[in-house]
Amino acid sequence: MKKILLVSHCLLNTASKLKSYDASEMKAEDSLRKEIIKTAVDNDIHLLQLPCPEFLQYGYRRWGHTYDQFNNVFFRERCREMLQPVILQVKEYLENDTEFEIVGVLGIDGSPSCGVKYTCRAPWGGEFSGRDVTDVLHSCHLEEGSGVLMESLKKMLEEEGITLKMEGLFAPEADRALAMVSK
């Protein structure tokens, strides 16, 4: 039986990630990302790559965003559009359950889109020019909760009567992600 794990886009393509200036934080995440991929391959787990709504909406030269900015009907609808082909693939695999098993979904914790256990929150919005935005920018924080894409994915799966285990890749809690790819 072939095992399949749905993964956030940047797990396989870090070129889509927001440019980071915290090298130590990214080093720990990148090390765990590589361990996850190697373990998945070693355990013959196939990886189905989810779309990256942030890259598809704003490209590489985007600013960082927060859950609060993406939590709107327009972004949620765009996520649903991007996820529709994924839902069809999941349904097809599940209809052939003697050959395929979907082991779950692995997101990227801290992401306003792909967070599963943690997301990035701040009441950002409005014009940058003509004001000191230091306090606004410093209001950004990690908070328990899922990102908008993962919320949309979970809702779409539920609408189809599908429940999948969901975890997030988060270097300080590496065991959660590693459990998704370990036998």
Side-chain angles (χ1 to χ4, degrees):
M1 180 173 295
K2 292 184 179 180
K3 294 183 177 188
I4 300 167
L5 177 66
L6 283 68
V7 297
S8 287
H9 188 88
C10 62
L11 185 90
L12 299 174
N13 177 20
T14 59
S16 67
K17 287 184 76 72
L18 181 68
K19 185 176 182 179
S20 176
Y21 297 96
D22 185 346
S24 63
E25 180 181 302
M26 293 313 300
K27 184 178 180 185
E29 181 181 296
D30 194 51
S31 176
L32 178 57
R33 180 187 68 80
K34 289 174 182 174
E35 184 176 357
I36 293 291
I37 293 169
K38 182 182 182 324
T39 304
V41 170
D42 289 347
N43 288 325
D44 203 26
I45 296 174
H46 303 262
L47 304 175
L48 193 159
Q49 186 178 34
L50 296 171
C52 177
E54 295 174 44
F55 190 82
L56 292 173
Q57 285 290 114
Y58 303 110
Y60 174 71
R61 293 173 35 128
R62 64 191 183 273
W63 291 106
H65 288 82
T66 67
Y67 173 90
D68 307 79
Q69 291 172 293
F70 291 155
N71 186 21
N72 64 70
V73 295
F74 305 105
F75 193 80
R76 286 185 180 278
E77 183 60 28
R78 187 71 178 110
C79 286
R80 288 184 71 86
E81 292 169 6
M82 291 177 207
L83 288 169
Q84 189 56 43
V86 173
I87 297 298
L88 292 174
Q89 291 174 68
V90 167
K91 287 172 60 176
E92 179 66 14
Y93 288 127
L94 292 174
E95 285 180 14
N96 293 283
D97 62 354
T98 59
E99 295 184 48
F100 302 102
E101 175 190 353
I102 299 182
V103 296
V105 179
L106 183 59
I108 304 291
D109 274 337
S111 166
S113 295
C114 292
V116 173
K117 186 176 178 184
Y118 304 108
T119 191
C120 175
R121 298 291 306 258
W124 289 0
E127 180 62 48
F128 278 119
S129 65
R131 68 180 178 143
D132 182 2
V133 295
T134 304
D135 288 342
V136 173
L137 295 176
H138 286 290
S139 69
C140 186
H141 62 282
L142 197 63
E143 189 173 297
E144 284 194 20
S146 297
V148 174
L149 181 80
M150 289 299 162
E151 287 178 347
S152 299
L153 177 60
K154 185 176 181 182
K155 183 175 183 179
M156 291 174 77
L157 289 168
E158 287 172 354
E159 289 168 359
E160 297 291 338
I162 301 168
T163 302
L164 296 177
K165 180 180 171 110
M166 298 178 85
E167 279 296 352
L169 184 144
F170 188 59
E173 299 172 8
D175 290 346
R176 290 188 295 115
L178 287 167
M180 297 292 285
V181 292
S182 299
K183 286 190 173 182

